[in-house]
Amino acid sequence: MSVRQRTPPHSSQIDEPQVTSNVRVLQISDTHLGAAKRQFLANWAPLADWIARQDADVTIHTGDLTVDGADVDDDMRLCGELLRSLPGTVLAVPGNHDVGEAHHERQPVDATRLDRWRRNIGPDWWLHDVGQWRLIGIDSMLFGSDTDDERRQFEWLQLAHASADGRRIAWFTHRPLFLDAPDEPDTGYWSVKPAHRAPLLDLVRSHDVAIVASGHLHRWHDATFDGCRYVWAPSSGFLVGPENQPDMPGEKWLGAVIYDFDDRSVSVRFGEVPGLATLWIDDVLADVYPHAVRREVPASQQR
Ligand SMILES: [Fe+2]
Ligand SMILES: [Fe+2]
């Protein structure tokens, strides 16, 4: 881990130079890359080129790394190789297409799927301290799964906050806690259910959690509630049209997010990635996710 030291301007005029550390973290998300289903693979090269030019200390992928790693070994293997080709420290949390989701009829999150992620990618929850910040990766696919992993993760999460030792905290996870407001009702597929959201919001409010960064929605958004900034990373793979996603906040842009962490503050901005092709899932949904096409209730009505 390299931590760049930046000296304030006119430091020669200061008796004891105040050196602040700055750590650059990139968030990328929802690449949906596959070995057999290669519809979005062409958008990896411009993303990797962009990452290489950012001189970042850490790159975090917030899930849906694979197009169908929840069932396909080759997808997970390919994506493990691609992540390992990136410079610097690379961390990731899984999305629903990587490990399945709680009590899903076809792809429930289970030990086999979690094991495939962990063998090829790494831990699905983790913490990483940089300067005066604690970055915490959370596996949101475990919420509501009623598994030992769900219980173990939450106990670990409480410890990770209790032991922060004055560090500010930034979360990285796949599914956003909410869409419009922390107290909203269930939004179905799109965000964490209220019963599982509540203990997470208790953690946010009782500790110095400054950032909750997520993916899943394929939209860029940055909103602050009760002093915490909720950042939605855009996908670098594809956009979702109105037939397959209800109206919600945020911009339908492809790209990434750039975080510059100083001692006690952080700047957050959209990262424009040159060369990304504007792909829409709607054009290839039947080939990529045929089960989604056969849903009786359209995704646009599932809020
Ligand atoms: Fe996604
Ligand atoms: Fe997702």
Side-chain angles (χ1 to χ4, degrees):
M1 163 62 48
S2 63
V3 176
R4 289 169 293 164
Q5 302 294 319
R6 288 187 182 163
T7 306
H10 313 298
S11 61
S12 60
Q13 300 168 13
I14 301 172
D15 291 339
E16 293 184 11
Q18 296 174 357
V19 177
T20 58
S21 63
N22 179 278
V23 178
R24 174 162 291 180
V25 175
L26 306 177
Q27 183 188 4
I28 60 175
S29 204
D30 294 271
T31 43
H32 292 256
L33 302 174
K37 295 178 180 177
R38 304 170 76 87
Q39 284 85 347
F40 313 114
L41 202 53
N43 274 346
W44 175 257
L47 179 67
D49 289 347
W50 177 82
I51 291 169
R53 292 195 303 273
Q54 299 307 307
D55 190 25
D57 303 288
V58 183
T59 298
I60 299 173
H61 196 303
T62 44
D64 286 354
L65 168 64
T66 65
V67 71
D68 199 17
D71 279 325
V72 180
D73 278 326
D74 286 349
D75 284 7
M76 202 67 88
R77 269 197 295 272
L78 169 70
C79 287
E81 291 168 11
L82 293 175
L83 283 189
R84 285 188 290 277
S85 74
L86 297 176
T89 299
V90 179
L91 299 162
V93 291
N96 45 303
H97 292 290
D98 302 315
V99 297
E101 52 188 305
H103 301 293
H104 192 277
E105 59 180 12
R106 188 176 53 83
Q107 282 184 332
V109 61
D110 59 20
T112 301
R113 294 189 167 101
L114 290 167
D115 180 62
R116 185 186 295 125
W117 173 274
R118 291 166 183 166
R119 278 187 288 107
N120 288 281
I121 310 299
D124 49 323
W125 71 77
W126 42 260
L127 69 79
H128 187 74
D129 290 339
V130 286
Q132 289 304 303
W133 287 82
R134 170 159 287 186
L135 314 181
I136 298 181
I138 302 171
D139 181 352
S140 57
M141 307 328 299
L142 293 174
F143 302 151
S145 65
D146 302 313
T147 58
D148 283 345
D149 277 300
E150 181 183 17
R151 285 182 285 277
R152 283 175 45 228
Q153 176 176 243
F154 194 72
E155 288 170 10
W156 169 88
L157 200 51
Q158 290 172 306
L159 270 177
H161 287 73
S163 63
D165 195 23
R167 294 179 187 88
R168 305 200 75 194
I169 295 168
W171 290 10
F172 292 85
T173 192
H174 183 63
R175 187 165 259 151
L177 299 193
F178 53 83
L179 300 181
D180 293 294
D183 59 353
E184 73 190 9
D186 188 2
T187 67
Y189 172 78
W190 302 104
S191 68
V192 173
K193 298 205 176 301
H196 310 121
R197 184 193 305 152
L200 297 167
L201 288 174
D202 284 346
L203 271 180
V204 168
R205 289 166 178 152
S206 57
H207 296 84
D208 192 5
V209 180
I211 300 278
V212 175
S214 55
H216 187 53
L217 300 176
H218 295 234
R219 304 169 83 99
W220 156 250
H221 187 50
D222 178 5
T224 299
F225 293 87
D226 302 325
C228 180
R229 205 160 167 178
Y230 293 82
V231 179
W232 298 355
S235 166
S236 61
F238 62 79
L239 299 172
V240 185
E243 291 298 308
N244 288 294
Q245 189 178 54
D247 191 32
M248 63 178 70
E251 306 289 345
K252 290 190 183 187
W253 298 346
L254 294 176
V257 189
I258 303 170
Y259 301 83
D260 284 309
F261 290 94
D262 283 312
D263 278 350
R264 303 300 295 170
S265 64
V266 57
S267 92
V268 182
R269 59 197 162 96
F270 174 79
E272 186 172 351
V273 179
L276 291 180
T278 303
L279 305 173
W280 294 84
I281 188 65
D282 316 73
D283 296 335
V284 291
L285 189 61
D287 295 327
V288 178
Y289 294 123
H291 294 90
V293 174
R294 287 198 288 272
R295 276 199 292 241
E296 289 181 9
V297 180
S300 57
Q301 297 173 24
Q302 287 189 353
R303 282 192 67 173

